[in-house]
Amino acid sequence: MLASPSNETIDTLYIDNADDAEFLKEIGLIDSLGVQEEVARTFNFTIAKLIIERGDVTYTDHTLPKTFTYHLSEISTTCNDFAPNKQNKITGAAVLGKSGKVTLDWVTDFKSMRNMDIALMLNNIDIKDFTPYSYYFVGNNILSGNMRLFSHNTI
């Protein structure tokens, strides 16, 4: 005598066309790469004046033997006529650590991050704050020192 299964559950799976078809085929969830190609859609908008003020971030790196923590405060960013589909000029500034300053001028097209021009100025950065990295990489603490750096990169 054969017993018939009762309350059998059948699992189903919905595959979204936006999923990676190569990966889904590779793991056996679809049989062919016949997934419909997505129609390109654009959403155009412009923000007349994009302003971020009084930002505050604390970065912590727990991957080192001595934990590295760094505080960025008074973060400000401005961009006139911001649009994701065109080139934007973004300016920014912040306080790094206790007394360091950073300023940034960044021209970029978010559609293609391969086209950018970035100028970065660091002033009065207390390099003693970076002792967890010097200790990890060269086995010594940084006793004192200030750094000033100007970097201008065009990609």
Side-chain angles (χ1 to χ4, degrees):
M1 181 184 224
L2 295 172
S4 61
S6 61
N7 297 331
E8 187 174 324
T9 303
I10 298 172
D11 292 328
T12 58
L13 175 69
Y14 172 74
I15 298 174
D16 185 355
N17 284 347
D19 287 337
D20 183 356
E22 277 290 338
F23 174 72
L24 294 174
K25 182 179 180 196
E26 191 176 300
I27 63 172
L29 289 179
I30 59 175
D31 292 330
S32 68
L33 295 178
V35 176
Q36 293 178 352
E37 189 174 318
E38 236 181 270
V39 177
R41 296 180 189 131
T42 59
F43 182 68
N44 295 320
F45 66 91
T46 301
I47 299 173
K49 189 152 187 111
L50 177 64
I51 300 172
I52 299 171
E53 291 181 335
R54 295 185 300 273
D56 196 273
V57 173
T58 299
Y59 172 79
T60 304
D61 185 348
H62 294 286
T63 64
L64 304 169
K66 294 180 179 181
T67 300
F68 172 73
T69 300
Y70 202 68
H71 188 79
L72 291 80
S73 60
E74 299 178 36
I75 301 168
S76 65
T77 305
T78 304
C79 181
N80 292 318
D81 298 320
F82 173 84
N85 298 324
K86 74 169 191 73
Q87 196 172 61
N88 295 281
K89 182 173 194 275
I90 300 165
T91 59
V95 173
L96 303 178
K98 296 176 187 127
S99 60
K101 304 246 185 232
V102 62
T103 57
L104 166 82
D105 287 314
W106 183 24
V107 178
T108 188
D109 173 359
F110 289 106
K111 235 174 134 178
S112 172
M113 295 294 280
R114 293 183 178 134
N115 298 315
M116 67 174 77
D117 187 319
I118 187 166
L120 181 72
M121 173 72 81
L122 301 172
N123 280 310
N124 201 32
I125 306 301
D126 185 357
I127 60 172
K128 186 177 177 182
D129 293 342
F130 297 90
T131 288
Y133 287 102
S134 71
Y135 183 80
Y136 177 74
F137 287 106
V138 294
N140 289 308
N141 294 330
I142 298 173
L143 301 177
S144 66
N146 286 328
M147 178 177 69
R148 181 174 192 213
L149 170 80
F150 177 74
S151 174
H152 184 192
N153 300 283
T154 302
I155 300 172

mmCIF file of all heavy atoms in Angstrom, residues 28-76:
data_model
loop_
_atom_site.group_PDB
_atom_site.id
_atom_site.type_symbol
_atom_site.label_atom_id
_atom_site.label_comp_id
_atom_site.label_asym_id
_atom_site.label_seq_id
_atom_site.Cartn_x
_atom_site.Cartn_y
_atom_site.Cartn_z
ATOM 1 N N GLY A 28 21.832 27.526 -11.723
ATOM 2 C CA GLY A 28 20.775 26.608 -12.091
ATOM 3 C C GLY A 28 19.354 27.092 -11.855
ATOM 4 O O GLY A 28 18.425 26.288 -11.850
ATOM 5 N N LEU A 29 19.155 28.373 -11.663
ATOM 6 C CA LEU A 29 17.796 28.867 -11.438
ATOM 7 C C LEU A 29 17.057 29.164 -12.738
ATOM 8 O O LEU A 29 15.841 29.225 -12.746
ATOM 9 C CB LEU A 29 17.818 30.114 -10.552
ATOM 10 C CG LEU A 29 18.189 29.857 -9.086
ATOM 11 C CD1 LEU A 29 18.203 31.163 -8.327
ATOM 12 C CD2 LEU A 29 17.218 28.894 -8.435
ATOM 13 N N ILE A 30 17.789 29.370 -13.811
ATOM 14 C CA ILE A 30 17.144 29.510 -15.116
ATOM 15 C C ILE A 30 17.899 28.616 -16.100
ATOM 16 O O ILE A 30 19.071 28.306 -15.909
ATOM 17 C CB ILE A 30 17.108 30.976 -15.616
ATOM 18 C CG1 ILE A 30 18.512 31.562 -15.750
ATOM 19 C CG2 ILE A 30 16.246 31.838 -14.720
ATOM 20 C CD1 ILE A 30 18.536 32.953 -16.354
ATOM 21 N N ASP A 31 17.224 28.217 -17.164
ATOM 22 C CA ASP A 31 17.818 27.285 -18.123
ATOM 23 C C ASP A 31 18.589 27.980 -19.237
ATOM 24 O O ASP A 31 19.512 27.433 -19.790
ATOM 25 C CB ASP A 31 16.732 26.412 -18.759
ATOM 26 C CG ASP A 31 16.131 25.465 -17.729
ATOM 27 O OD1 ASP A 31 16.852 25.084 -16.795
ATOM 28 O OD2 ASP A 31 14.945 25.130 -17.857
ATOM 29 N N SER A 32 18.172 29.175 -19.607
ATOM 30 C CA SER A 32 18.841 29.857 -20.710
ATOM 31 C C SER A 32 18.971 31.327 -20.368
ATOM 32 O O SER A 32 18.472 31.804 -19.355
ATOM 33 C CB SER A 32 18.028 29.695 -21.997
ATOM 34 O OG SER A 32 16.825 30.421 -21.871
ATOM 35 N N LEU A 33 19.637 32.040 -21.221
ATOM 36 C CA LEU A 33 19.809 33.477 -21.009
ATOM 37 C C LEU A 33 18.729 34.270 -21.739
ATOM 38 O O LEU A 33 18.964 35.361 -22.198
ATOM 39 C CB LEU A 33 21.204 33.913 -21.459
ATOM 40 C CG LEU A 33 22.350 33.318 -20.658
ATOM 41 C CD1 LEU A 33 23.684 33.779 -21.215
ATOM 42 C CD2 LEU A 33 22.236 33.684 -19.202
ATOM 43 N N GLY A 34 17.546 33.718 -21.812
ATOM 44 C CA GLY A 34 16.448 34.366 -22.514
ATOM 45 C C GLY A 34 15.741 35.424 -21.687
ATOM 46 O O GLY A 34 14.577 35.706 -21.903
ATOM 47 N N VAL A 35 16.417 36.029 -20.747
ATOM 48 C CA VAL A 35 15.813 37.077 -19.921
ATOM 49 C C VAL A 35 15.675 38.324 -20.772
ATOM 50 O O VAL A 35 16.589 38.699 -21.493
ATOM 51 C CB VAL A 35 16.692 37.368 -18.679
ATOM 52 C CG1 VAL A 35 16.128 38.502 -17.865
ATOM 53 C CG2 VAL A 35 16.826 36.113 -17.835
ATOM 54 N N GLN A 36 14.506 38.954 -20.706
ATOM 55 C CA GLN A 36 14.267 40.133 -21.518
ATOM 56 C C GLN A 36 15.233 41.247 -21.146
ATOM 57 O O GLN A 36 15.528 41.473 -19.984
ATOM 58 C CB GLN A 36 12.845 40.642 -21.314
ATOM 59 C CG GLN A 36 11.791 39.699 -21.836
ATOM 60 C CD GLN A 36 10.404 40.233 -21.554
ATOM 61 O OE1 GLN A 36 10.230 41.226 -20.853
ATOM 62 N NE2 GLN A 36 9.408 39.580 -22.107
ATOM 63 N N GLU A 37 15.702 41.946 -22.172
ATOM 64 C CA GLU A 37 16.605 43.068 -21.943
ATOM 65 C C GLU A 37 15.813 44.231 -21.354
ATOM 66 O O GLU A 37 14.712 44.532 -21.797
ATOM 67 C CB GLU A 37 17.233 43.484 -23.277
ATOM 68 C CG GLU A 37 18.342 44.481 -23.110
ATOM 69 C CD GLU A 37 19.028 44.761 -24.436
ATOM 70 O OE1 GLU A 37 19.264 43.801 -25.186
ATOM 71 O OE2 GLU A 37 19.295 45.930 -24.698
ATOM 72 N N GLU A 38 16.380 44.849 -20.344
ATOM 73 C CA GLU A 38 15.702 45.955 -19.687
ATOM 74 C C GLU A 38 15.718 47.189 -20.582
ATOM 75 O O GLU A 38 16.706 47.475 -21.236
ATOM 76 C CB GLU A 38 16.416 46.293 -18.373
ATOM 77 C CG GLU A 38 15.491 46.234 -17.197
ATOM 78 C CD GLU A 38 16.209 46.596 -15.927
ATOM 79 O OE1 GLU A 38 16.738 45.685 -15.294
ATOM 80 O OE2 GLU A 38 16.216 47.781 -15.597
ATOM 81 N N VAL A 39 14.625 47.901 -20.629
ATOM 82 C CA VAL A 39 14.544 49.132 -21.397
ATOM 83 C C VAL A 39 15.207 50.232 -20.573
ATOM 84 O O VAL A 39 14.925 50.400 -19.394
ATOM 85 C CB VAL A 39 13.061 49.497 -21.685
ATOM 86 C CG1 VAL A 39 12.971 50.808 -22.418
ATOM 87 C CG2 VAL A 39 12.397 48.373 -22.455
ATOM 88 N N ALA A 40 16.129 50.962 -21.214
ATOM 89 C CA ALA A 40 16.819 52.043 -20.504
ATOM 90 C C ALA A 40 15.834 53.160 -20.186
ATOM 91 O O ALA A 40 15.087 53.606 -21.046
ATOM 92 C CB ALA A 40 17.960 52.573 -21.360
ATOM 93 N N ARG A 41 15.834 53.570 -18.934
ATOM 94 C CA ARG A 41 14.947 54.646 -18.496
ATOM 95 C C ARG A 41 15.798 55.741 -17.872
ATOM 96 O O ARG A 41 16.735 55.456 -17.138
ATOM 97 C CB ARG A 41 13.951 54.136 -17.464
ATOM 98 C CG ARG A 41 13.017 53.095 -18.013
ATOM 99 C CD ARG A 41 12.052 52.628 -16.941
ATOM 100 N NE ARG A 41 11.341 51.482 -17.461
ATOM 101 C CZ ARG A 41 11.181 50.350 -16.825
ATOM 102 N NH1 ARG A 41 11.650 50.203 -15.622
ATOM 103 N NH2 ARG A 41 10.533 49.358 -17.369
ATOM 104 N N THR A 42 15.471 56.970 -18.146
ATOM 105 C CA THR A 42 16.182 58.080 -17.520
ATOM 106 C C THR A 42 15.194 58.921 -16.742
ATOM 107 O O THR A 42 14.028 59.047 -17.107
ATOM 108 C CB THR A 42 16.883 58.968 -18.563
ATOM 109 O OG1 THR A 42 15.912 59.475 -19.478
ATOM 110 C CG2 THR A 42 17.952 58.198 -19.319
ATOM 111 N N PHE A 43 15.685 59.472 -15.680
ATOM 112 C CA PHE A 43 14.897 60.346 -14.828
ATOM 113 C C PHE A 43 15.692 61.637 -14.692
ATOM 114 O O PHE A 43 16.739 61.656 -14.055
ATOM 115 C CB PHE A 43 14.672 59.678 -13.465
ATOM 116 C CG PHE A 43 13.838 60.484 -12.528
ATOM 117 C CD1 PHE A 43 12.496 60.707 -12.782
ATOM 118 C CD2 PHE A 43 14.384 61.027 -11.382
ATOM 119 C CE1 PHE A 43 11.722 61.440 -11.918
ATOM 120 C CE2 PHE A 43 13.617 61.762 -10.507
ATOM 121 C CZ PHE A 43 12.282 61.974 -10.777
ATOM 122 N N ASN A 44 15.250 62.674 -15.359
ATOM 123 C CA ASN A 44 15.985 63.925 -15.368
ATOM 124 C C ASN A 44 15.424 64.887 -14.333
ATOM 125 O O ASN A 44 14.221 65.096 -14.254
ATOM 126 C CB ASN A 44 15.917 64.578 -16.747
ATOM 127 C CG ASN A 44 16.621 63.741 -17.800
ATOM 128 O OD1 ASN A 44 17.678 63.187 -17.539
ATOM 129 N ND2 ASN A 44 16.040 63.638 -18.970
ATOM 130 N N PHE A 45 16.321 65.472 -13.553
ATOM 131 C CA PHE A 45 15.942 66.504 -12.601
ATOM 132 C C PHE A 45 17.159 67.376 -12.328
ATOM 133 O O PHE A 45 18.295 66.985 -12.592
ATOM 134 C CB PHE A 45 15.399 65.914 -11.292
ATOM 135 C CG PHE A 45 16.419 65.157 -10.486
ATOM 136 C CD1 PHE A 45 17.184 65.798 -9.526
ATOM 137 C CD2 PHE A 45 16.610 63.803 -10.690
ATOM 138 C CE1 PHE A 45 18.127 65.108 -8.787
ATOM 139 C CE2 PHE A 45 17.545 63.101 -9.951
ATOM 140 C CZ PHE A 45 18.313 63.760 -8.989
ATOM 141 N N THR A 46 16.919 68.551 -11.800
ATOM 142 C CA THR A 46 17.982 69.478 -11.429
ATOM 143 C C THR A 46 17.651 70.068 -10.076
ATOM 144 O O THR A 46 16.506 70.433 -9.820
ATOM 145 C CB THR A 46 18.114 70.615 -12.468
ATOM 146 O OG1 THR A 46 18.401 70.037 -13.740
ATOM 147 C CG2 THR A 46 19.219 71.579 -12.090
ATOM 148 N N ILE A 47 18.659 70.153 -9.220
ATOM 149 C CA ILE A 47 18.507 70.819 -7.937
ATOM 150 C C ILE A 47 19.248 72.149 -8.065
ATOM 151 O O ILE A 47 20.470 72.156 -8.281
ATOM 152 C CB ILE A 47 19.095 69.968 -6.791
ATOM 153 C CG1 ILE A 47 18.351 68.638 -6.702
ATOM 154 C CG2 ILE A 47 19.037 70.738 -5.472
ATOM 155 C CD1 ILE A 47 18.953 67.653 -5.724
ATOM 156 N N ALA A 48 18.523 73.263 -7.966
ATOM 157 C CA ALA A 48 19.108 74.583 -8.195
ATOM 158 C C ALA A 48 20.307 74.843 -7.291
ATOM 159 O O ALA A 48 21.346 75.311 -7.741
ATOM 160 C CB ALA A 48 18.053 75.664 -8.005
ATOM 161 N N LYS A 49 20.182 74.541 -6.019
ATOM 162 C CA LYS A 49 21.298 74.742 -5.085
ATOM 163 C C LYS A 49 21.273 73.620 -4.056
ATOM 164 O O LYS A 49 20.368 73.552 -3.238
ATOM 165 C CB LYS A 49 21.202 76.095 -4.405
ATOM 166 C CG LYS A 49 22.426 76.439 -3.601
ATOM 167 C CD LYS A 49 22.612 77.947 -3.527
ATOM 168 C CE LYS A 49 23.916 78.290 -2.882
ATOM 169 N NZ LYS A 49 24.859 78.862 -3.793
ATOM 170 N N LEU A 50 22.257 72.742 -4.118
ATOM 171 C CA LEU A 50 22.381 71.626 -3.185
ATOM 172 C C LEU A 50 23.397 72.034 -2.122
ATOM 173 O O LEU A 50 24.547 72.320 -2.429
ATOM 174 C CB LEU A 50 22.852 70.370 -3.912
ATOM 175 C CG LEU A 50 23.104 69.132 -3.052
ATOM 176 C CD1 LEU A 50 21.807 68.661 -2.409
ATOM 177 C CD2 LEU A 50 23.725 68.027 -3.881
ATOM 178 N N ILE A 51 22.952 72.079 -0.871
ATOM 179 C CA ILE A 51 23.820 72.501 0.227
ATOM 180 C C ILE A 51 23.726 71.478 1.358
ATOM 181 O O ILE A 51 22.633 71.115 1.774
ATOM 182 C CB ILE A 51 23.404 73.888 0.768
ATOM 183 C CG1 ILE A 51 23.493 74.940 -0.326
ATOM 184 C CG2 ILE A 51 24.268 74.281 1.960
ATOM 185 C CD1 ILE A 51 22.923 76.286 0.081
ATOM 186 N N ILE A 52 24.876 71.055 1.837
ATOM 187 C CA ILE A 52 24.955 70.213 3.035
ATOM 188 C C ILE A 52 25.796 71.003 4.027
ATOM 189 O O ILE A 52 26.914 71.431 3.701
ATOM 190 C CB ILE A 52 25.606 68.852 2.737
ATOM 191 C CG1 ILE A 52 24.775 68.085 1.715
ATOM 192 C CG2 ILE A 52 25.773 68.049 4.021
ATOM 193 C CD1 ILE A 52 25.425 66.831 1.197
ATOM 194 N N GLU A 53 25.271 71.217 5.220
ATOM 195 C CA GLU A 53 25.983 72.006 6.227
ATOM 196 C C GLU A 53 26.028 71.283 7.562
ATOM 197 O O GLU A 53 25.145 70.507 7.885
ATOM 198 C CB GLU A 53 25.304 73.360 6.431
ATOM 199 C CG GLU A 53 25.437 74.284 5.247
ATOM 200 C CD GLU A 53 24.788 75.628 5.489
ATOM 201 O OE1 GLU A 53 23.858 75.702 6.322
ATOM 202 O OE2 GLU A 53 25.203 76.596 4.849
ATOM 203 N N ARG A 54 27.062 71.584 8.328
ATOM 204 C CA ARG A 54 27.236 71.092 9.693
ATOM 205 C C ARG A 54 27.245 69.562 9.777
ATOM 206 O O ARG A 54 26.735 68.985 10.727
ATOM 207 C CB ARG A 54 26.187 71.693 10.628
ATOM 208 C CG ARG A 54 26.336 73.202 10.789
ATOM 209 C CD ARG A 54 25.372 73.771 11.804
ATOM 210 N NE ARG A 54 23.975 73.565 11.492
ATOM 211 C CZ ARG A 54 23.237 74.362 10.745
ATOM 212 N NH1 ARG A 54 23.764 75.433 10.203
ATOM 213 N NH2 ARG A 54 21.961 74.109 10.540
ATOM 214 N N GLY A 55 27.833 68.929 8.775
ATOM 215 C CA GLY A 55 27.955 67.474 8.799
ATOM 216 C C GLY A 55 28.974 67.038 9.840
ATOM 217 O O GLY A 55 29.873 67.790 10.211
ATOM 218 N N ASP A 56 28.819 65.823 10.314
ATOM 219 C CA ASP A 56 29.683 65.312 11.364
ATOM 220 C C ASP A 56 29.815 63.796 11.182
ATOM 221 O O ASP A 56 28.799 63.103 11.153
ATOM 222 C CB ASP A 56 29.068 65.640 12.724
ATOM 223 C CG ASP A 56 30.050 65.490 13.853
ATOM 224 O OD1 ASP A 56 30.172 64.370 14.376
ATOM 225 O OD2 ASP A 56 30.687 66.490 14.190
ATOM 226 N N VAL A 57 31.046 63.311 11.024
ATOM 227 C CA VAL A 57 31.276 61.886 10.796
ATOM 228 C C VAL A 57 32.446 61.429 11.660
ATOM 229 O O VAL A 57 33.460 62.125 11.756
ATOM 230 C CB VAL A 57 31.611 61.607 9.307
ATOM 231 C CG1 VAL A 57 32.020 60.162 9.103
ATOM 232 C CG2 VAL A 57 30.463 61.970 8.408
ATOM 233 N N THR A 58 32.315 60.276 12.263
ATOM 234 C CA THR A 58 33.429 59.646 12.960
ATOM 235 C C THR A 58 33.711 58.318 12.273
ATOM 236 O O THR A 58 32.829 57.476 12.162
ATOM 237 C CB THR A 58 33.112 59.419 14.450
ATOM 238 O OG1 THR A 58 32.862 60.678 15.057
ATOM 239 C CG2 THR A 58 34.271 58.749 15.155
ATOM 240 N N TYR A 59 34.939 58.171 11.788
ATOM 241 C CA TYR A 59 35.365 56.958 11.105
ATOM 242 C C TYR A 59 36.162 56.112 12.089
ATOM 243 O O TYR A 59 37.062 56.610 12.761
ATOM 244 C CB TYR A 59 36.224 57.318 9.886
ATOM 245 C CG TYR A 59 36.859 56.116 9.237
ATOM 246 C CD1 TYR A 59 36.121 55.298 8.398
ATOM 247 C CD2 TYR A 59 38.192 55.789 9.475
ATOM 248 C CE1 TYR A 59 36.697 54.177 7.808
ATOM 249 C CE2 TYR A 59 38.776 54.682 8.885
ATOM 250 C CZ TYR A 59 38.017 53.886 8.059
ATOM 251 O OH TYR A 59 38.573 52.783 7.477
ATOM 252 N N THR A 60 35.856 54.831 12.158
ATOM 253 C CA THR A 60 36.577 53.922 13.044
ATOM 254 C C THR A 60 37.000 52.692 12.257
ATOM 255 O O THR A 60 36.193 52.090 11.559
ATOM 256 C CB THR A 60 35.690 53.502 14.235
ATOM 257 O OG1 THR A 60 35.250 54.674 14.911
ATOM 258 C CG2 THR A 60 36.456 52.635 15.207
ATOM 259 N N ASP A 61 38.285 52.334 12.383
ATOM 260 C CA ASP A 61 38.835 51.161 11.717
ATOM 261 C C ASP A 61 39.258 50.170 12.799
ATOM 262 O O ASP A 61 40.220 50.394 13.531
ATOM 263 C CB ASP A 61 40.035 51.566 10.863
ATOM 264 C CG ASP A 61 40.603 50.422 10.046
ATOM 265 O OD1 ASP A 61 40.224 49.252 10.291
ATOM 266 O OD2 ASP A 61 41.438 50.687 9.159
ATOM 267 N N HIS A 62 38.533 49.061 12.899
ATOM 268 C CA HIS A 62 38.818 48.035 13.907
ATOM 269 C C HIS A 62 39.719 46.919 13.373
ATOM 270 O O HIS A 62 39.946 45.937 14.067
ATOM 271 C CB HIS A 62 37.511 47.413 14.414
ATOM 272 C CG HIS A 62 36.648 48.358 15.180
ATOM 273 N ND1 HIS A 62 36.939 48.754 16.466
ATOM 274 C CD2 HIS A 62 35.513 49.002 14.835
ATOM 275 C CE1 HIS A 62 36.009 49.591 16.900
ATOM 276 N NE2 HIS A 62 35.135 49.767 15.919
ATOM 277 N N THR A 63 40.225 47.057 12.139
ATOM 278 C CA THR A 63 41.035 45.989 11.551
ATOM 279 C C THR A 63 42.488 46.032 12.012
ATOM 280 O O THR A 63 43.243 45.111 11.721
ATOM 281 C CB THR A 63 41.005 46.052 10.010
ATOM 282 O OG1 THR A 63 41.617 47.274 9.577
ATOM 283 C CG2 THR A 63 39.570 45.957 9.486
ATOM 284 N N LEU A 64 42.887 47.093 12.696
ATOM 285 C CA LEU A 64 44.269 47.252 13.151
ATOM 286 C C LEU A 64 44.416 46.775 14.592
ATOM 287 O O LEU A 64 43.436 46.749 15.332
ATOM 288 C CB LEU A 64 44.664 48.731 13.061
ATOM 289 C CG LEU A 64 44.504 49.384 11.691
ATOM 290 C CD1 LEU A 64 44.656 50.887 11.799
ATOM 291 C CD2 LEU A 64 45.503 48.813 10.710
ATOM 292 N N PRO A 65 45.636 46.442 15.022
ATOM 293 C CA PRO A 65 45.825 46.057 16.426
ATOM 294 C C PRO A 65 45.407 47.164 17.397
ATOM 295 O O PRO A 65 44.876 46.900 18.459
ATOM 296 C CB PRO A 65 47.331 45.783 16.523
ATOM 297 C CG PRO A 65 47.764 45.492 15.136
ATOM 298 C CD PRO A 65 46.866 46.276 14.243
ATOM 299 N N LYS A 66 45.676 48.416 17.026
ATOM 300 C CA LYS A 66 45.218 49.569 17.801
ATOM 301 C C LYS A 66 44.115 50.230 16.979
ATOM 302 O O LYS A 66 44.331 50.634 15.839
ATOM 303 C CB LYS A 66 46.348 50.576 18.023
ATOM 304 C CG LYS A 66 47.471 50.074 18.885
ATOM 305 C CD LYS A 66 48.530 51.155 19.050
ATOM 306 C CE LYS A 66 49.661 50.683 19.936
ATOM 307 N NZ LYS A 66 50.685 51.737 20.130
ATOM 308 N N THR A 67 42.927 50.358 17.532
ATOM 309 C CA THR A 67 41.788 50.920 16.804
ATOM 310 C C THR A 67 42.081 52.350 16.363
ATOM 311 O O THR A 67 42.600 53.162 17.133
ATOM 312 C CB THR A 67 40.528 50.893 17.680
ATOM 313 O OG1 THR A 67 40.253 49.539 18.013
ATOM 314 C CG2 THR A 67 39.330 51.484 16.960
ATOM 315 N N PHE A 68 41.757 52.636 15.101
ATOM 316 C CA PHE A 68 41.913 53.990 14.559
ATOM 317 C C PHE A 68 40.545 54.657 14.525
ATOM 318 O O PHE A 68 39.591 54.108 13.989
ATOM 319 C CB PHE A 68 42.485 53.931 13.139
ATOM 320 C CG PHE A 68 42.503 55.260 12.433
ATOM 321 C CD1 PHE A 68 43.422 56.229 12.795
ATOM 322 C CD2 PHE A 68 41.609 55.537 11.417
ATOM 323 C CE1 PHE A 68 43.451 57.452 12.147
ATOM 324 C CE2 PHE A 68 41.625 56.755 10.754
ATOM 325 C CZ PHE A 68 42.545 57.718 11.123
ATOM 326 N N THR A 69 40.456 55.835 15.138
ATOM 327 C CA THR A 69 39.222 56.622 15.113
ATOM 328 C C THR A 69 39.570 58.026 14.661
ATOM 329 O O THR A 69 40.533 58.623 15.157
ATOM 330 C CB THR A 69 38.574 56.666 16.513
ATOM 331 O OG1 THR A 69 38.280 55.327 16.911
ATOM 332 C CG2 THR A 69 37.284 57.463 16.488
ATOM 333 N N TYR A 70 38.803 58.545 13.701
ATOM 334 C CA TYR A 70 39.084 59.879 13.176
ATOM 335 C C TYR A 70 37.773 60.632 13.015
ATOM 336 O O TYR A 70 36.806 60.109 12.472
ATOM 337 C CB TYR A 70 39.814 59.771 11.834
ATOM 338 C CG TYR A 70 40.595 61.004 11.494
ATOM 339 C CD1 TYR A 70 41.720 61.366 12.231
ATOM 340 C CD2 TYR A 70 40.220 61.806 10.440
ATOM 341 C CE1 TYR A 70 42.445 62.496 11.927
ATOM 342 C CE2 TYR A 70 40.939 62.939 10.114
ATOM 343 C CZ TYR A 70 42.053 63.280 10.863
ATOM 344 O OH TYR A 70 42.769 64.400 10.566
ATOM 345 N N HIS A 71 37.777 61.867 13.475
ATOM 346 C CA HIS A 71 36.559 62.677 13.494
ATOM 347 C C HIS A 71 36.636 63.767 12.427
ATOM 348 O O HIS A 71 37.627 64.488 12.332
ATOM 349 C CB HIS A 71 36.382 63.310 14.881
ATOM 350 C CG HIS A 71 35.082 64.000 15.046
ATOM 351 N ND1 HIS A 71 33.910 63.332 15.296
ATOM 352 C CD2 HIS A 71 34.755 65.310 14.986
ATOM 353 C CE1 HIS A 71 32.927 64.194 15.385
ATOM 354 N NE2 HIS A 71 33.414 65.411 15.195
ATOM 355 N N LEU A 72 35.587 63.878 11.620
ATOM 356 C CA LEU A 72 35.428 64.955 10.648
ATOM 357 C C LEU A 72 34.223 65.762 11.082
ATOM 358 O O LEU A 72 33.149 65.198 11.329
ATOM 359 C CB LEU A 72 35.176 64.404 9.242
ATOM 360 C CG LEU A 72 36.329 63.695 8.548
ATOM 361 C CD1 LEU A 72 36.479 62.290 9.041
ATOM 362 C CD2 LEU A 72 36.102 63.712 7.065
ATOM 363 N N SER A 73 34.380 67.069 11.191
ATOM 364 C CA SER A 73 33.279 67.910 11.650
ATOM 365 C C SER A 73 33.144 69.138 10.751
ATOM 366 O O SER A 73 33.994 69.379 9.891
ATOM 367 C CB SER A 73 33.501 68.334 13.103
ATOM 368 O OG SER A 73 34.704 69.069 13.217
ATOM 369 N N GLU A 74 32.088 69.875 10.983
ATOM 370 C CA GLU A 74 31.798 71.088 10.203
ATOM 371 C C GLU A 74 31.875 70.819 8.695
ATOM 372 O O GLU A 74 32.361 71.635 7.930
ATOM 373 C CB GLU A 74 32.746 72.219 10.602
ATOM 374 C CG GLU A 74 32.631 72.607 12.067
ATOM 375 C CD GLU A 74 33.611 73.708 12.458
ATOM 376 O OE1 GLU A 74 33.858 74.609 11.615
ATOM 377 O OE2 GLU A 74 34.117 73.665 13.586
ATOM 378 N N ILE A 75 31.373 69.659 8.295
ATOM 379 C CA ILE A 75 31.403 69.272 6.888
ATOM 380 C C ILE A 75 30.368 70.106 6.128
ATOM 381 O O ILE A 75 29.214 70.187 6.520
ATOM 382 C CB ILE A 75 31.086 67.771 6.718
ATOM 383 C CG1 ILE A 75 32.111 66.932 7.485
ATOM 384 C CG2 ILE A 75 31.049 67.386 5.244
ATOM 385 C CD1 ILE A 75 31.718 65.467 7.618
ATOM 386 N N SER A 76 30.830 70.732 5.042
ATOM 387 C CA SER A 76 29.903 71.504 4.207
ATOM 388 C C SER A 76 30.184 71.202 2.743
ATOM 389 O O SER A 76 31.327 70.993 2.347
ATOM 390 C CB SER A 76 30.055 73.003 4.472
ATOM 391 O OG SER A 76 31.334 73.434 4.079
#
